[in-house]
Amino acid sequence: MAARAAFSSPLAEELATDVLERFLRYVRVDTQGAYRAAERPSTQKQLDLSRMLVDELRAIGLADAELNDGYSVFATLPGTSDAPVVGLIAHVDTTPDVTGAGVSPIVHEAWDGQPITLPGDARQVLEPAALPALAARVGHDIVTSDGTTLLGADDKAGIAEIMAAVAYLARTEDRPRASIRVAFTVDEEVGRGAEGFDLESFGADVAYTLDGSDLGELEVETFSAASVRVTIRGLSVHPGTAKDKLVNAVKLAAELVRSVPAGRLSPETTEGREGYVHPHRISGSTEEAIVDFIARDHDDELLASHVALLRGLAADVEAREPRAKVDVEVRDSYRNMRPFIEENPRVVEAALEAIRRAGVEPRLAITRGGTDGAVLSAQGLPTPNLFTGGQEYHSVREWASVQDMAAAAATIVELAGVWSESAK
């Protein structure tokens, strides 16, 4: 065992135990969402954690905590000054792509820098040589799953950090703070987290999502995003009498996927601000097959061109096999939040100062994804995204550093203090 790594500040060290205990409790609750569900939330089990959080918020003194009609948990921690009201937001759901049932978190205390083999599936090994962020955290307390599920740090790390910070503020009455509004949403992972979010009732002047990753990062720019569903309808015929009759929707769907550019415009071949089109789900039968794509870009015009590319590839399928019927459905998910954040530079300046006060060097960053904050920013509530300390999201190899999670919780506490200095 290596020597345990230091915490970023005495406050972070004080918060660490509570953050970890909450995190380990929350990740055991299965909150996996579902794509394209008609109802909202997409899975009722998400509300199991939402209701638990309402009870815990009330227990720490936030008496107005409620699960509202928009399926968000709202709660208030009154401030000690007439400062702007600060919102803190995280989401309870986990990705539909990897199972979140039966999560068995493991804490690798004072990690010694050696590869971490996850005991539930020995094929899953966290290799420091391939994971620079992990390699930089020798001595940290590293939390993983057992390798058969995701961990759930996205976004239960954010939830645990908000809860620990708010609990600390609630019991530390002599510490100056702005009023805090807490929100925990459902269905963020399927692009519906801000759906039905009552901004007027929430009442925040500025807000932050706790849904980022690496230590010290403040994300001020997201992708713009759209989801594209291509439905291919063929004709099913008994294979014994199918000659010149069968129109196989499965094969046509496979042709569509193969026609997507491989050396460019894919997540595997892009980085930074480069956009992509990504087939992430295929289902169906001979009669009908569905291919779901996501399209992403930091530039709205380029995003439109990516969607147009998919429309063209779908039309090509129908042109090659005119007996098939091909439909394309496009749904806008969110827009790049950068223009809206730039209209309120104080929301960025305050966060950077809070990160410094928590003993961490801050960094502005972009995300190759989206947040509830992207939607809320476009609706008039500037909402950049703070780090949580989670890594390798949407994977059975997901992990989180306790030291980094504690630094995020300390940042929240410091943020309430920074904003208290901005009395109206």
Side-chain angles (χ1 to χ4, degrees):
M1 182 181 293
R4 176 169 277 107
F7 289 90
S8 65
S9 69
L11 175 59
E13 186 170 11
E14 183 176 352
L15 293 168
T17 298
D18 191 25
V19 171
L20 178 59
E21 289 177 354
R22 292 179 184 277
F23 181 61
L24 297 179
R25 183 162 67 249
Y26 301 153
V27 298
R28 289 185 169 94
V29 182
D30 181 8
T31 58
Q32 186 177 22
Y35 290 121
R36 294 278 180 159
E39 65 276 4
R40 186 169 184 275
S42 61
T43 56
Q44 287 295 310
K45 60 189 175 182
Q46 295 177 56
L47 300 181
D48 294 342
L49 180 55
S50 299
R51 296 185 183 100
M52 178 190 298
L53 293 169
V54 169
D55 291 342
E56 292 189 10
L57 285 163
R58 290 174 179 170
I60 62 178
L62 279 64
D64 68 342
E66 64 169 347
L67 178 60
N68 62 28
D69 292 341
Y71 303 105
S72 292
V73 174
F74 280 5
T76 308
L77 178 68
T80 60
S81 63
D82 187 23
V85 178
V86 179
L88 300 172
I89 303 168
H91 62 89
V92 301
D93 60 307
T94 60
T95 178
D97 295 332
V98 183
T99 182
V103 174
S104 297
I106 301 169
V107 182
H108 308 265
E109 295 184 0
W111 174 60
D112 63 5
Q114 296 301 306
I116 301 173
T117 300
L118 303 182
D121 182 352
R123 299 170 300 173
Q124 306 300 338
V125 181
L126 277 61
E127 293 279 2
L131 300 170
L134 180 63
R137 284 163 174 80
V138 175
H140 283 231
D141 301 316
I142 302 297
V143 188
T144 69
S145 76
D146 68 355
T148 62
T149 70
L150 51 65
L151 175 60
D154 182 10
D155 187 25
K156 291 166 186 174
I159 295 173
E161 291 151 9
I162 291 172
M163 292 293 292
V166 169
Y168 174 86
L169 287 167
R171 65 177 181 265
T172 313
E173 297 181 356
D174 60 344
R175 189 180 183 110
R177 63 171 185 262
S179 292
I180 300 295
R181 282 288 275 167
V182 173
F184 299 126
T185 63
V186 297
D187 281 339
E188 190 271 353
E189 295 290 0
V190 296
R192 300 178 67 186
E195 188 175 308
F197 194 100
D198 190 338
L199 278 176
E200 183 176 355
S201 174
F202 190 50
D205 297 301
V206 297
Y208 301 87
T209 47
L210 271 290
D211 195 14
S213 182
D214 209 23
L215 179 68
E217 284 189 345
L218 177 70
E219 293 172 342
V220 296
E221 183 174 352
T222 61
F223 272 139
S224 291
S227 63
V228 181
R229 169 166 283 190
V230 180
T231 302
I232 303 171
R233 296 179 177 86
L235 178 63
S236 180
V237 179
H238 190 289
T241 58
K243 183 173 171 48
D244 297 327
K245 302 174 187 176
L246 176 66
V247 180
N248 192 327
V250 171
K251 286 185 176 180
L252 295 177
E255 289 179 11
L256 173 63
V257 172
R258 284 197 301 269
S259 69
V260 175
R264 62 183 183 90
L265 287 181
S266 67
E268 308 96 304
T269 60
T270 55
E271 61 184 353
R273 287 188 171 83
E274 297 173 318
Y276 58 76
V277 293
H278 175 48
H280 69 98
R281 190 164 176 261
I282 186 168
S283 61
S285 63
T286 303
E287 184 76 16
E288 180 181 279
I290 296 173
V291 186
D292 285 316
F293 295 85
I294 55 176
R296 302 284 190 268
D297 210 289
H298 286 87
D299 183 293
D300 286 354
E301 291 185 4
L302 289 176
L303 175 64
S305 72
H306 303 334
V307 172
L309 170 66
L310 291 175
R311 288 188 183 276
L313 295 177
D316 290 344
V317 171
E318 198 170 49
R320 289 192 299 269
E321 178 46 271
R323 295 176 297 169
K325 173 65 175 173
V326 181
D327 294 321
V328 179
E329 177 191 358
V330 179
R331 293 183 182 179
D332 290 329
S333 301
Y334 49 82
R335 285 289 175 264
N336 188 347
M337 67 182 175
R338 180 177 179 176
F340 311 107
I341 298 298
E342 288 177 339
E343 293 175 2
N344 192 333
R346 178 59 182 157
V347 75
V348 173
E349 294 165 1
L352 296 178
E353 176 59 22
I355 295 169
R356 291 187 193 97
R357 292 185 187 184
V360 177
E361 183 62 32
R363 291 179 292 120
L364 292 178
I366 65 173
T367 177
R368 288 175 58 80
T371 66
D372 285 338
V375 179
L376 297 177
S377 293
Q379 293 177 353
L381 179 65
T383 310
N385 191 31
L386 280 162
F387 71 97
T388 66
Q391 304 279 350
E392 300 296 310
Y393 289 159
H394 295 202
S395 166
V396 296
R397 301 185 186 190
E398 187 181 12
W399 60 273
S401 158
V402 174
Q403 279 79 354
D404 291 358
M405 289 194 293
T411 295
I412 296 170
V413 172
E414 299 290 1
L415 189 63
V418 172
W419 277 107
S420 76
E421 299 162 11
S422 303
K424 296 176 183 177

